[in-house]
Amino acid sequence: MTEPTGPKRWGRREVLRLAGAGVGAGLLGSAGLTGCGFGSLSNNGGEDSAAKKVSGGFDWKKHKGTTLRLLMNKHPYTDALKAHRGEFQDKTGIKLAIDEFPESNYFDKVTLELKSRQGNYDAFMLGAYMVWQYGPPGYLEDLGPWMHNSSATHAEFEPDDFFPNLIKAGQWNFVNGAPLGGKQQWMLPWGFETNTVCYRSDVFAKLGLKPAESFDDLTELARTLKAKAPGAGFDGMYGIAVRGSREWATIHPGFMTMYSREGLKDFKVEGKKLVPTMNSPEAVDFTSRWAKMVRDAGPSGWTSYTWYQASSDLGAGKAAMLFDADTASYFQNVDTPAAGKLAWHPGPKGKDGSLATNMWIWSLAMNSSSKKKPAAWWFLQWATSKEHLLWAGTKQQHIDAVRRSVADNSAYKDRLKAVPGFLDTFQTVIDQTKIQFTPQRNFFDATTSWAAALQEIYGGADAKATLDKLAKDLEPRVNG
């Protein structure tokens, strides 16, 4: 969706179609690069770092007359940037040339640009998980040296103002299984989504129902809604919408959030190996129950459901609940049949009261092949600044806020308070919202296979046998 009234919101869920497109080998076949920790690459922040050559006092006009080319996804965040770019150009004298592409082919464009190493674009949007794929081959500039050079970074940038789990999501040493964090900063968070439950408050009120506080309660609630809502005047309504298509994006929102709240992990690290754990007895039980919930109370045609179908069903009055990105449901509260009838809830707690929540982060990164790195850094620090993000969050549709100062701003909070339960839900889960996956270079391939296994279980396959086979197949792939 480019505007709250438009037919779509952003579609960051397209699988990176690397294999078969002549691109995969360039990204995934760089064993020499991924194994050496970037020691010889130009983006390592070493003595030849462009960031370390910047000296003198910081001056916004230092790169006046430069034109930057940006590669961007069609998205409300990009719309906010375009609406505010005059401010940046006046402040810096740097011109922004923005090329936008729809999500259906955006990441293909990014992949081809980075693989070419031509530096045609200076900065671009990416999801945090893409750091695990674009980082090891050396396509991303390490922003750490720029951030920590006072000659290159304005005094009010304040990286500590970012929510800690969001800024940490851009830090990784490219070792499979190593936790996020460290000195290297491969992207800056720009906007993000936590994953919560949105529900039809009018339906719940008419049926005398309350949001579920446990996973067992959620499955029962979804079945009750499917059974009773049509007879209460909500024709054709089913219980719960979640994603189901055969792609990695099916796993990461509601499924991974509830999976994590139940204390489950995707992999464990044994020595230098990743060992899949989605076939543990507890994971098998959870996956079986999730699939049964969807069979009993989800939509027909679930195996084709992406974020778009799931959230659209909520807005159209077909689904009583959506367990997905909070922003996906937020935009369904404008100019849809369900508008004004939606409310938000953190979703079920885990057995120990956990509200561990997975997230997606839209981020900004610098092309390591850019020939205009100083000017590109001037743009990145402005685009992720308190100044721009507060303006975009109050004047445009740039939510959720990645900076604590913006999230705490009274004007920003007043805007969100108009949406029942949205702000309270955000504040409840934010401190437990982080990337719940184990960082690893084959994330997209492995997680797409996981989604395929979930589809098989939904279709009636034995959960244990299916997940045992998945784990056996994944182990050599993720350790290759």
Side-chain angles (χ1 to χ4, degrees):
M1 174 178 279
T2 55
E3 296 289 346
T5 57
K8 288 189 177 183
R9 63 181 266 286
W10 59 98
R12 68 272 181 258
R13 310 311 189 202
E14 178 79 2
V15 177
L16 294 180
R17 296 190 299 269
L18 300 175
V23 180
L27 279 175
L28 301 178
S30 305
L33 293 176
T34 60
C36 71
F38 257 9
S40 61
L41 297 178
S42 61
N43 61 349
N44 67 353
E47 293 303 319
D48 61 343
S49 168
K52 293 186 177 181
K53 296 178 181 178
V54 179
S55 60
F58 179 81
D59 179 4
W60 277 114
K61 293 284 190 180
K62 192 168 188 174
H63 304 291
K64 181 179 179 180
T66 304
T67 297
L68 293 175
R69 292 191 66 198
L70 309 180
L71 182 56
M72 309 295 279
N73 182 38
K74 287 185 178 293
H75 189 285
Y77 300 167
T78 304
D79 292 339
L81 171 64
K82 291 189 298 182
H84 207 205
R85 71 171 145 184
E87 175 72 19
F88 172 76
Q89 292 178 161
D90 290 345
K91 188 182 189 79
T92 65
I94 299 170
K95 182 179 179 182
L96 301 180
I98 301 173
D99 286 347
E100 287 181 272
F101 295 92
E103 182 70 20
S104 58
N105 66 344
Y106 173 71
F107 283 116
D108 290 337
K109 295 284 187 181
V110 173
T111 299
L112 290 170
E113 163 62 19
L114 296 179
K115 184 174 181 287
S116 76
R117 299 187 186 273
Q118 294 299 305
N120 296 311
Y121 292 96
D122 303 292
F124 58 97
M125 286 174 71
L126 79 166
Y129 304 132
M130 281 72 182
V131 169
W132 306 349
Q133 190 137 9
Y134 295 148
Y139 298 150
L140 305 179
E141 174 80 2
D142 180 6
L143 303 178
W146 297 94
M147 291 169 60
H148 301 299
N149 182 349
S150 60
S151 295
T153 303
H154 68 100
E156 296 181 0
F157 180 66
E158 294 183 25
D160 290 344
D161 184 47
F162 290 106
F163 284 107
N165 286 337
L166 274 72
I167 192 76
K168 185 186 289 186
Q171 302 164 358
W172 192 43
N173 64 4
F174 306 144
V175 176
N176 273 353
L180 298 174
K183 295 182 179 180
Q184 294 168 313
Q185 187 75 46
W186 305 110
M187 61 77 172
L188 292 177
W190 203 28
F192 78 109
E193 323 171 334
T194 185
N195 291 289
T196 57
V197 172
C198 181
Y199 64 96
R200 283 285 297 269
S201 58
D202 57 332
V203 178
F204 275 54
K206 190 165 187 177
L207 295 176
L209 300 173
K210 295 182 179 180
E213 297 295 339
S214 71
F215 183 49
D216 285 342
D217 289 346
L218 179 68
T219 59
E220 183 60 34
L221 176 61
R223 285 192 289 266
T224 297
L225 285 162
K226 184 171 184 179
K228 294 184 176 181
F234 304 98
D235 293 344
M237 180 172 283
Y238 64 88
I240 187 165
V242 294
R243 301 185 207 189
S245 60
R246 190 170 295 217
E247 56 184 352
W248 63 273
T250 283
I251 299 297
H252 90 80
F255 180 91
M256 192 63 182
T257 292
M258 197 68 241
Y259 184 90
S260 300
R261 291 179 182 182
E262 293 290 284
L264 303 172
K265 302 294 183 182
D266 52 352
F267 294 91
K268 63 181 177 180
V269 180
E270 291 186 352
K272 295 183 178 181
K273 288 182 60 178
L274 284 180
V275 178
T277 57
M278 64 279 292
N279 67 329
S280 70
E282 297 80 7
V284 169
D285 177 66
F286 170 80
T287 307
S288 180
R289 289 189 292 145
W290 182 275
K292 187 176 188 305
M293 177 185 72
V294 180
R295 279 198 305 270
D296 292 348
S300 59
W302 174 75
T303 54
S304 66
Y305 264 54
T306 65
W307 67 271
Y308 182 69
Q309 285 77 26
S311 60
S312 293
D313 275 9
L314 177 74
K318 296 178 181 179
M321 295 186 290
L322 172 69
F323 196 170
D324 204 277
D326 61 345
T327 52
S329 49
Y330 177 89
F331 288 114
Q332 294 300 327
N333 204 40
V334 180
D335 291 344
T336 69
K341 304 169 185 176
L342 298 178
W344 280 260
H345 183 265
K349 296 181 177 69
K351 293 175 182 178
D352 62 352
S354 170
L355 282 175
T357 303
N358 196 44
M359 66 178 169
W360 168 268
I361 310 173
W362 269 121
S363 311
L364 293 175
M366 189 191 303
N367 187 347
S368 66
S369 296
S370 169
K371 301 172 182 64
K372 303 172 183 177
K373 290 182 181 181
W377 173 243
W378 260 236
F379 163 72
L380 291 177
Q381 61 181 303
W382 175 85
T384 59
S385 68
K386 291 180 282 185
E387 172 192 6
H388 171 68
L389 293 178
L390 179 58
W391 182 90
T394 54
K395 305 297 184 183
Q396 297 283 316
Q397 294 292 346
H398 199 126
I399 60 166
D400 291 318
V402 296
R403 283 184 172 273
R404 194 177 295 277
S405 62
V406 177
D408 290 343
N409 180 272
S410 59
Y412 180 79
K413 290 197 292 186
D414 286 347
R415 181 181 192 181
L416 296 183
K417 283 178 182 176
V419 184
F422 189 89
L423 181 60
D424 289 343
T425 295
F426 177 88
Q427 292 174 335
T428 297
V429 302
I430 181 59
D431 289 339
Q432 295 184 64
T433 297
K434 66 177 185 177
I435 292 177
Q436 302 290 343
F437 291 99
T438 303
Q440 49 115 348
R441 296 189 300 272
N442 288 330
F443 168 80
F444 295 103
D445 173 58
T447 313
T448 298
S449 295
W450 196 356
L454 179 59
Q455 281 193 352
E456 292 175 20
I457 296 166
Y458 168 83
D462 179 76
K464 184 179 187 308
T466 302
L467 293 171
D468 280 346
K469 183 179 184 300
L470 172 67
K472 183 178 179 181
D473 291 345
L474 286 183
E475 187 162 348
R477 285 155 56 186
V478 298
N479 291 297

